[in-house]
Coordinates of all heavy atoms in Angstrom, one line a residue:
M1301 N 74.9 284.4 56.3 CA 73.8 283.5 56.5 C 72.8 284.1 57.4 O 73.1 284.7 58.4 CB 74.3 282.2 57.0 CG 73.3 281.1 57.2 SD 74.1 279.6 57.7 CE 73.1 278.5 56.8
K1302 N 71.5 283.9 57.2 CA 70.5 284.5 58.0 C 70.3 283.6 59.3 O 70.5 282.4 59.3 CB 69.1 284.4 57.3 CG 69.0 285.4 56.2 CD 67.6 285.4 55.6 CE 67.6 286.5 54.5 NZ 66.2 286.6 54.0
E1303 N 70.1 284.4 60.4 CA 69.9 283.7 61.6 C 68.5 283.0 61.7 O 67.6 283.4 61.1 CB 70.0 284.7 62.8 CG 69.0 285.7 62.8 CD 69.2 286.7 63.9 OE1 70.1 287.6 63.8 OE2 68.4 286.7 64.9
K1304 N 68.5 281.9 62.4 CA 67.2 281.2 62.6 C 66.5 281.8 63.7 O 67.0 281.8 64.9 CB 67.5 279.7 62.8 CG 66.4 278.8 62.5 CD 66.9 277.9 61.4 CE 65.8 276.8 61.4 NZ 65.4 276.3 60.2
I1305 N 65.3 282.3 63.5 CA 64.4 282.9 64.5 C 63.3 282.0 64.9 O 62.6 281.5 64.0 CB 63.9 284.2 64.1 CG1 65.0 285.2 63.7 CG2 63.0 284.9 65.1 CD1 64.6 286.5 63.0
D1306 N 63.1 281.7 66.1 CA 62.0 280.9 66.6 C 60.8 281.8 66.9 O 60.7 282.4 68.0 CB 62.3 280.0 67.8 CG 61.3 279.0 68.1 OD1 60.3 278.9 67.3 OD2 61.4 278.3 69.1
W1307 N 60.0 282.0 65.9 CA 58.9 283.0 66.0 C 57.9 282.6 67.1 O 57.3 283.5 67.7 CB 58.2 283.2 64.7 CG 57.5 282.0 64.1 CD1 58.0 281.0 63.4 CD2 56.1 281.7 64.3 NE1 57.0 280.1 63.1 CE2 55.9 280.5 63.6 CE3 55.0 282.3 64.9 CZ2 54.6 279.9 63.6 CZ3 53.8 281.8 64.9 CH2 53.6 280.6 64.2
K1308 N 57.7 281.3 67.4 CA 56.8 280.9 68.4 C 57.2 281.3 69.8 O 56.4 281.8 70.5 CB 56.6 279.4 68.3 CG 55.9 278.9 67.1 CD 55.8 277.4 67.0 CE 55.3 276.9 65.7 NZ 55.2 275.4 65.7
K1309 N 58.5 281.1 70.1 CA 59.0 281.5 71.4 C 59.0 283.1 71.5 O 58.7 283.6 72.6 CB 60.5 281.0 71.5 CG 60.5 279.5 71.8 CD 61.9 279.1 72.0 CE 62.0 277.6 72.2 NZ 63.4 277.1 72.3
E1310 N 59.2 283.7 70.4 CA 59.2 285.2 70.5 C 57.8 285.7 70.7 O 57.6 286.7 71.5 CB 59.7 285.8 69.1 CG 60.0 287.2 69.2 CD 60.8 287.7 68.0 OE1 61.7 287.1 67.6 OE2 60.3 288.7 67.5
I1311 N 56.8 285.1 70.1 CA 55.4 285.5 70.4 C 55.0 285.2 71.9 O 54.4 286.0 72.5 CB 54.4 284.8 69.4 CG1 54.5 285.5 68.0 CG2 53.0 285.0 69.9 CD1 53.6 284.8 67.0
L1312 N 55.4 284.0 72.3 CA 55.1 283.7 73.7 C 55.8 284.7 74.7 O 55.2 285.1 75.7 CB 55.6 282.3 74.0 CG 54.7 281.1 73.5 CD1 55.4 279.8 73.7 CD2 53.4 281.1 74.2
A1313 N 57.0 285.1 74.4 CA 57.7 286.0 75.3 C 57.1 287.4 75.2 O 57.1 288.1 76.2 CB 59.2 286.1 74.9
S1314 N 56.5 287.8 74.1 CA 56.0 289.1 73.9 C 54.6 289.3 74.7 O 54.2 290.4 75.1 CB 55.8 289.5 72.5 OG 54.7 288.8 71.9
G1315 N 53.9 288.2 74.8 CA 52.6 288.2 75.5 C 51.5 288.7 74.6 O 50.4 289.1 75.1
R1316 N 51.7 288.8 73.3 CA 50.6 289.3 72.4 C 49.5 288.3 72.3 O 48.3 288.7 72.3 CB 51.2 289.5 71.0 CG 52.2 290.6 70.9 CD 51.5 291.9 70.6 NE 52.5 293.0 70.5 CZ 52.4 294.0 69.8 NH1 51.3 294.2 69.1 NH2 53.3 294.9 69.8
F1317 N 49.8 287.1 72.3 CA 48.7 286.0 72.2 C 48.8 285.3 73.5 O 49.5 284.2 73.6 CB 49.0 285.1 71.0 CG 48.9 285.7 69.7 CD1 50.0 286.3 69.1 CD2 47.6 285.8 69.1 CE1 49.8 286.9 67.8 CE2 47.5 286.4 67.8 CZ 48.6 287.0 67.2
N1318 N 48.2 285.8 74.5 CA 48.4 285.3 75.9 C 47.2 284.5 76.4 O 47.3 284.1 77.5 CB 48.6 286.5 76.8 CG 49.5 286.1 78.0 OD1 50.0 285.1 78.0 ND2 49.5 287.0 79.0
N1319 N 46.2 284.2 75.5 CA 45.1 283.4 76.0 C 45.5 281.9 76.0 O 46.5 281.5 75.5 CB 43.8 283.6 75.2 CG 44.0 283.3 73.8 OD1 45.0 282.7 73.3 ND2 43.0 283.6 73.0
K1320 N 44.7 281.1 76.7 CA 45.0 279.7 76.9 C 45.1 278.9 75.6 O 46.0 278.1 75.4 CB 44.0 279.1 77.8 CG 44.2 277.7 78.2 CD 43.1 277.2 79.1 CE 43.3 275.8 79.5 NZ 42.3 275.3 80.4
F1321 N 44.2 279.2 74.7 CA 44.2 278.5 73.4 C 45.4 278.8 72.6 O 46.1 277.9 72.1 CB 42.9 278.9 72.6 CG 42.8 278.3 71.2 CD1 42.5 277.0 71.1 CD2 43.1 279.1 70.1 CE1 42.5 276.4 69.8 CE2 43.0 278.5 68.8 CZ 42.7 277.2 68.7
S1322 N 45.8 280.1 72.5 CA 47.0 280.4 71.7 C 48.3 279.9 72.3 O 49.2 279.4 71.6 CB 47.1 282.0 71.5 OG 45.9 282.4 70.9
R1323 N 48.3 280.0 73.6 CA 49.6 279.5 74.3 C 49.7 278.0 74.0 O 50.8 277.5 73.8 CB 49.5 279.8 75.8 CG 50.7 279.4 76.6 CD 50.6 279.9 78.0 NE 50.7 281.3 78.1 CZ 51.9 282.0 77.9 NH1 53.0 281.4 77.6 NH2 51.9 283.3 78.0
N1324 N 48.6 277.3 74.1 CA 48.7 275.8 73.9 C 49.1 275.5 72.5 O 49.9 274.6 72.3 CB 47.3 275.2 74.2 CG 47.3 273.7 74.1 OD1 48.3 273.1 74.3 ND2 46.2 273.1 73.7
L1325 N 48.6 276.2 71.5 CA 49.0 276.0 70.1 C 50.5 276.3 69.9 O 51.2 275.5 69.2 CB 48.2 276.9 69.2 CG 46.8 276.4 68.7 CD1 46.2 277.4 67.8 CD2 46.9 275.1 68.0
L1326 N 50.9 277.4 70.5 CA 52.3 277.7 70.3 C 53.3 276.8 70.9 O 54.4 276.5 70.4 CB 52.6 279.2 70.8 CG 51.9 280.3 70.0 CD1 52.0 281.6 70.7 CD2 52.6 280.4 68.6
E1327 N 52.9 276.2 72.1 CA 53.7 275.3 72.8 C 53.7 273.9 72.2 O 54.7 273.2 72.1 CB 53.4 275.3 74.3 CG 53.7 276.5 75.0 CD 53.2 276.6 76.4 OE1 52.4 275.7 76.8 OE2 53.6 277.6 77.1
N1328 N 52.5 273.4 71.8 CA 52.3 272.0 71.4 C 52.1 271.8 69.9 O 52.1 270.7 69.5 CB 51.1 271.4 72.2 CG 51.3 271.5 73.7 OD1 52.4 271.3 74.2 ND2 50.3 271.8 74.5
G1329 N 51.8 272.8 69.2 CA 51.5 272.7 67.8 C 50.1 272.4 67.5 O 49.3 272.1 68.3
E1330 N 49.8 272.5 66.2 CA 48.3 272.4 65.8 C 48.0 270.9 65.6 O 48.9 270.1 65.2 CB 48.0 273.2 64.5 CG 48.8 272.8 63.3 CD 50.1 273.4 63.1 OE1 50.6 274.1 64.0 OE2 50.8 273.0 62.1
K1331 N 46.7 270.6 65.7 CA 46.3 269.2 65.6 C 45.3 269.0 64.4 O 45.1 267.9 64.0 CB 45.6 268.7 66.9 CG 46.5 268.8 68.1 CD 47.6 267.8 68.1 CE 48.3 267.8 69.4 NZ 49.7 268.2 69.3
N1332 N 44.7 270.1 64.0 CA 43.7 270.0 62.9 C 43.8 271.2 62.0 O 44.6 272.1 62.2 CB 42.3 269.8 63.4 CG 41.8 271.0 64.3 OD1 42.2 272.1 64.0 ND2 41.0 270.7 65.3
Y1333 N 43.0 271.2 61.0 CA 43.0 272.2 59.9 C 42.8 273.6 60.4 O 43.6 274.6 60.1 CB 42.0 271.9 58.8 CG 41.9 272.9 57.7 CD1 42.9 273.0 56.8 CD2 40.8 273.8 57.6 CE1 42.8 273.9 55.8 CE2 40.7 274.7 56.6 CZ 41.7 274.8 55.7 OH 41.7 275.7 54.7
M1334 N 41.8 273.8 61.2 CA 41.5 275.2 61.7 C 42.5 275.7 62.7 O 42.8 276.9 62.7 CB 40.1 275.2 62.4 CG 38.9 275.1 61.4 SD 39.0 276.2 60.0 CE 38.7 277.8 60.8
Q1335 N 43.1 274.8 63.4 CA 44.3 275.3 64.3 C 45.5 275.7 63.4 O 46.2 276.6 63.8 CB 44.7 274.2 65.3 CG 43.6 273.9 66.3 CD 44.0 272.8 67.2 OE1 45.0 272.0 67.0 NE2 43.2 272.6 68.3
G1336 N 45.6 275.0 62.3 CA 46.7 275.4 61.4 C 46.4 276.8 60.8 O 47.3 277.6 60.6
I1337 N 45.2 277.0 60.4 CA 44.8 278.4 59.9 C 45.1 279.4 61.0 O 45.6 280.5 60.6 CB 43.3 278.4 59.6 CG1 43.0 277.4 58.5 CG2 42.8 279.8 59.2 CD1 43.4 277.8 57.1
Y1338 N 44.8 279.2 62.2 CA 45.0 280.1 63.3 C 46.6 280.3 63.5 O 47.0 281.4 63.8 CB 44.4 279.7 64.6 CG 44.3 280.8 65.6 CD1 43.5 281.9 65.5 CD2 45.2 280.7 66.7 CE1 43.5 282.9 66.5 CE2 45.2 281.7 67.7 CZ 44.3 282.8 67.6 OH 44.3 283.7 68.5
M1339 N 47.3 279.3 63.3 CA 48.8 279.4 63.4 C 49.3 280.3 62.3 O 50.2 281.1 62.5 CB 49.5 278.0 63.4 CG 49.3 277.2 64.6 SD 50.3 277.8 66.0 CE 51.9 277.1 65.5
G1340 N 48.7 280.1 61.1 CA 49.1 281.0 60.0 C 48.8 282.5 60.3 O 49.6 283.4 59.9
Y1341 N 47.7 282.7 60.9 CA 47.3 284.0 61.3 C 48.3 284.6 62.3 O 48.7 285.8 62.2 CB 45.9 284.0 61.9 CG 45.5 285.2 62.7 CD1 45.3 286.4 62.1 CD2 45.4 285.1 64.1 CE1 45.0 287.6 62.9 CE2 45.1 286.2 64.9 CZ 44.9 287.4 64.2 OH 44.6 288.5 65.0
M1342 N 48.7 283.8 63.3 CA 49.6 284.3 64.3 C 51.0 284.6 63.7 O 51.6 285.6 64.0 CB 49.7 283.3 65.5 CG 48.5 283.3 66.3 SD 48.8 282.4 67.9 CE 48.9 280.7 67.3
Y1343 N 51.4 283.7 62.7 CA 52.6 283.9 62.0 C 52.6 285.2 61.2 O 53.6 286.0 61.2 CB 53.0 282.7 61.1 CG 54.2 282.9 60.4 CD1 55.5 282.8 61.0 CD2 54.2 283.1 59.0 CE1 56.7 283.0 60.3 CE2 55.4 283.2 58.3 CZ 56.6 283.2 58.9 OH 57.8 283.3 58.3
A1344 N 51.5 285.5 60.5 CA 51.4 286.7 59.7 C 51.4 287.9 60.7 O 52.0 289.0 60.3 CB 50.1 286.7 58.9
R1345 N 50.7 287.9 61.8 CA 50.8 289.0 62.8 C 52.2 289.2 63.3 O 52.6 290.3 63.5 CB 49.9 288.7 63.9 CG 48.4 288.8 63.7 CD 47.9 290.2 63.6 NE 48.3 291.0 64.8 CZ 47.6 291.2 65.9 NH1 46.4 290.6 66.0 NH2 48.1 291.9 66.9
W1346 N 52.9 288.1 63.5 CA 54.3 288.2 64.0 C 55.2 288.9 62.9 O 56.0 289.8 63.2 CB 54.9 286.8 64.4 CG 56.3 286.9 64.7 CD1 56.9 287.2 65.8 CD2 57.4 286.5 63.8 NE1 58.3 287.1 65.7 CE2 58.6 286.7 64.5 CE3 57.4 286.0 62.5 CZ2 59.8 286.4 63.9 CZ3 58.7 285.8 61.9 CH2 59.8 285.9 62.6
R1347 N 55.0 288.5 61.7 CA 55.8 289.1 60.6 C 55.5 290.6 60.5 O 56.3 291.4 60.3 CB 55.4 288.5 59.2 CG 56.1 287.1 59.1 CD 55.8 286.5 57.7 NE 56.0 287.4 56.6 CZ 57.1 287.5 55.9 NH1 58.1 286.7 56.3 NH2 57.3 288.3 54.9
K1348 N 54.2 291.0 60.7 CA 53.8 292.4 60.6 C 54.4 293.1 61.8 O 54.9 294.3 61.6 CB 52.3 292.5 60.6 CG 51.8 293.8 60.2 CD 50.3 293.8 60.0 CE 49.9 295.0 59.2 NZ 48.5 294.9 58.8
M1349 N 54.4 292.5 63.0 CA 55.0 293.2 64.2 C 56.5 293.4 64.0 O 57.0 294.5 64.4 CB 54.8 292.3 65.4 CG 53.4 292.3 66.0 SD 53.2 291.5 67.5 CE 53.8 289.9 67.2
R1350 N 57.2 292.5 63.3 CA 58.6 292.6 63.1 C 59.0 293.5 61.9 O 60.1 293.8 61.7 CB 59.2 291.2 62.9 CG 59.2 290.3 64.1 CD 60.3 290.6 65.0 NE 61.6 290.6 64.4 CZ 62.6 289.8 64.6 NH1 62.4 288.8 65.4 NH2 63.8 289.9 64.0
G1351 N 57.9 293.8 61.1 CA 58.2 294.6 59.9 C 58.7 293.8 58.7 O 59.2 294.3 57.7
L1352 N 58.5 292.5 58.7 CA 59.0 291.6 57.7 C 58.0 291.5 56.5 O 58.4 291.0 55.5 CB 59.3 290.2 58.2 CG 60.3 290.1 59.3 CD1 60.3 288.7 59.9 CD2 61.6 290.5 58.8
D1353 N 56.8 292.0 56.7 CA 55.8 292.0 55.6 C 56.1 293.0 54.5 O 55.5 292.9 53.4 CB 54.4 292.2 56.2 CG 54.2 293.5 56.8 OD1 55.2 294.1 57.3 OD2 53.1 294.0 56.8
K1354 N 57.0 294.0 54.8 CA 57.3 295.0 53.8 C 58.1 294.4 52.6 O 58.2 295.0 51.6 CB 58.0 296.1 54.4 CG 57.1 296.9 55.4 CD 57.8 298.0 56.1 CE 57.0 298.7 57.1 NZ 55.9 298.1 57.7
D1355 N 58.7 293.2 52.8 CA 59.5 292.6 51.8 C 58.7 291.7 50.8 O 59.2 291.2 49.9 CB 60.6 291.7 52.4 CG 61.6 292.4 53.2 OD1 61.7 293.6 53.0 OD2 62.1 291.9 54.2
D1356 N 57.4 291.6 51.1 CA 56.5 290.7 50.3 C 56.4 291.4 48.9 O 56.4 292.6 48.8 CB 55.1 290.6 50.9 CG 55.2 289.8 52.2 OD1 56.2 289.0 52.4 OD2 54.2 289.8 53.0
P1357 N 56.2 290.6 47.9 CA 56.1 291.2 46.5 C 54.8 291.9 46.4 O 53.8 291.6 47.0 CB 56.1 289.9 45.6 CG 55.7 288.8 46.5 CD 56.2 289.2 47.9
K1358 N 54.8 293.0 45.6 CA 53.7 293.8 45.3 C 52.8 293.2 44.3 O 53.2 292.4 43.4 CB 54.1 295.2 44.8 CG 55.0 295.9 45.7 CD 54.3 296.4 47.0 CE 55.2 297.2 47.8 NZ 55.1 296.9 49.2
E1359 N 51.5 293.5 44.3 CA 50.5 292.9 43.4 C 50.7 293.6 42.0 O 51.0 294.8 41.9 CB 49.1 293.2 43.8 CG 48.1 292.6 42.9 CD 46.7 292.9 43.3 OE1 46.5 293.4 44.5 OE2 45.7 292.8 42.5
N1360 N 50.7 292.8 40.9 CA 50.8 293.3 39.6 C 49.5 293.9 39.2 O 48.6 293.2 38.8 CB 51.3 292.2 38.6 CG 51.5 292.7 37.3 OD1 51.5 293.9 37.0 ND2 51.9 291.8 36.4
T1361 N 49.4 295.2 39.2 CA 48.1 295.9 38.8 C 48.2 296.4 37.4 O 47.2 296.9 36.9 CB 47.8 297.0 39.7 OG1 48.9 298.0 39.7 CG2 47.6 296.6 41.2
G1362 N 49.3 296.2 36.7 CA 49.4 296.8 35.3 C 48.6 296.0 34.3 O 48.2 296.6 33.3
Q1363 N 48.2 294.8 34.5 CA 47.4 294.0 33.6 C 46.0 294.2 33.7 O 45.2 293.7 32.9 CB 47.8 292.6 33.7 CG 49.2 292.3 33.3 CD 49.6 290.9 33.6 OE1 48.9 290.1 34.2 NE2 50.8 290.5 33.2
M1364 N 45.5 294.9 34.7 CA 44.1 295.1 35.0 C 43.6 296.5 34.6 O 42.7 297.0 35.3 CB 43.8 294.8 36.5 CG 44.1 293.4 36.9 SD 43.7 293.1 38.6 CE 45.4 293.0 39.3
Q1365 N 44.1 297.1 33.6 CA 43.8 298.4 33.3 C 42.7 298.5 32.2 O 42.1 299.6 32.1 CB 45.0 299.2 32.8 CG 46.0 299.4 33.9 CD 47.2 300.1 33.5 OE1 47.4 300.3 32.3 NE2 48.1 300.4 34.4
S1366 N 42.4 297.5 31.5 CA 41.4 297.6 30.4 C 40.0 297.4 31.0 O 39.8 296.7 32.0 CB 41.7 296.6 29.3 OG 41.6 295.3 29.8
S1367 N 39.0 297.9 30.3 CA 37.6 297.7 30.8 C 36.9 296.7 29.9 O 37.4 296.2 28.9 CB 36.9 299.0 30.8 OG 36.8 299.4 29.4
F1368 N 35.7 296.3 30.3 CA 34.9 295.4 29.5 C 34.5 296.0 28.2 O 34.5 295.3 27.2 CB 33.7 295.0 30.3 CG 32.9 293.9 29.7 CD1 33.4 292.6 29.6 CD2 31.7 294.2 29.1 CE1 32.7 291.6 29.0 CE2 30.9 293.2 28.5 CZ 31.4 291.9 28.4
K1369 N 34.4 297.3 28.1 CA 34.0 297.9 26.9 C 35.2 297.8 25.9 O 35.0 297.5 24.7 CB 33.7 299.4 27.1 CG 32.3 299.6 27.8 CD 32.0 301.1 27.9 CE 30.7 301.2 28.7 NZ 30.4 302.7 28.9
D1370 N 36.4 298.0 26.4 CA 37.6 297.8 25.5 C 37.6 296.3 25.0 O 38.0 296.1 23.8 CB 38.8 298.1 26.3 CG 38.9 299.6 26.6 OD1 38.3 300.4 26.0 OD2 39.7 299.9 27.6
F1371 N 37.3 295.4 25.8 CA 37.3 294.0 25.5 C 36.3 293.7 24.4 O 36.5 293.0 23.4 CB 37.0 293.1 26.7 CG 36.8 291.7 26.4 CD1 37.9 290.9 26.1 CD2 35.6 291.1 26.5 CE1 37.8 289.6 25.8 CE2 35.4 289.7 26.2 CZ 36.6 289.0 25.9
E1372 N 35.1 294.3 24.5 CA 34.0 294.1 23.5 C 34.4 294.7 22.1 O 34.1 294.2 21.1 CB 32.7 294.8 24.0 CG 32.0 293.9 25.0 CD 30.7 294.5 25.4 OE1 30.6 295.8 25.4 OE2 29.8 293.8 25.7
K1373 N 35.1 295.9 22.2 CA 35.6 296.5 20.9 C 36.6 295.6 20.2 O 36.6 295.6 19.0 CB 36.2 297.9 21.2 CG 35.2 298.9 21.6 CD 35.9 300.2 22.0 CE 35.0 301.3 22.5 NZ 35.7 302.5 22.9
K1374 N 37.4 294.9 20.9 CA 38.4 294.1 20.3 C 37.8 292.8 19.7 O 38.3 292.3 18.7 CB 39.4 293.6 21.4 CG 40.4 294.7 21.8 CD 41.3 294.2 22.9 CE 42.2 295.3 23.4 NZ 43.1 294.8 24.5
I1375 N 36.7 292.4 20.2 CA 36.0 291.2 19.7 C 35.3 291.5 18.4 O 35.3 290.7 17.5 CB 35.0 290.6 20.8 CG1 35.8 290.1 21.9 CG2 34.1 289.5 20.2 CD1 34.9 289.6 23.0
K1376 N 34.7 292.7 18.3 CA 33.9 293.0 17.0 C 34.8 293.2 15.8 O 35.8 293.2 15.5 CB 33.1 294.3 17.3 CG 32.0 294.1 18.3 CD 31.2 295.3 18.4 CE 30.1 295.1 19.5 NZ 29.4 296.3 19.7

């Protein structure tokens, strides 16, 4: 079973987001939409610092290989 990691406490301990606004958000939680966006940003940064973003799925680029000219040829 995976261990439960409290990412907010880990960010506070690391001192990466040490300004007053970020500290208040991490300790008390977000109150509106934009604060939630900023929390998502901090979570993404924490995942990147821990190396957890490498497990994210890759973009499917195989379906984007045809050009508009190929599309026009198929229509005619």
Side-chain angles (χ1 to χ4, degrees):
M1301 181 176 219
K1302 291 186 177 184
E1303 63 183 74
K1304 202 119 166 134
I1305 301 172
D1306 191 4
W1307 65 274
K1308 293 177 185 178
K1309 288 182 182 177
E1310 194 171 313
I1311 287 179
L1312 283 171
S1314 73
R1316 296 270 180 150
F1317 295 93
N1318 209 10
N1319 61 8
K1320 186 178 178 182
F1321 177 73
S1322 299
R1323 181 171 295 284
N1324 184 30
L1325 274 181
L1326 291 168
E1327 290 173 351
N1328 301 323
E1330 67 272 1
K1331 303 286 187 249
N1332 61 32
Y1333 177 73
M1334 288 309 292
Q1335 289 177 353
I1337 297 286
Y1338 192 72
M1339 285 287 281
Y1341 161 73
M1342 288 192 291
Y1343 179 71
R1345 287 281 309 268
W1346 172 79
R1347 283 180 53 89
K1348 195 168 195 172
M1349 287 188 300
R1350 294 279 307 248
L1352 300 173
D1353 62 332
K1354 294 177 182 24
D1355 297 334
D1356 292 343
K1358 303 288 185 225
E1359 180 183 349
N1360 184 4
T1361 57
Q1363 296 173 351
M1364 296 183 250
Q1365 294 178 353
S1366 62
S1367 66
F1368 186 69
K1369 288 181 183 179
D1370 294 338
F1371 175 72
E1372 284 184 326
K1373 287 178 186 176
K1374 290 179 184 177
I1375 292 177
K1376 290 182 181 179

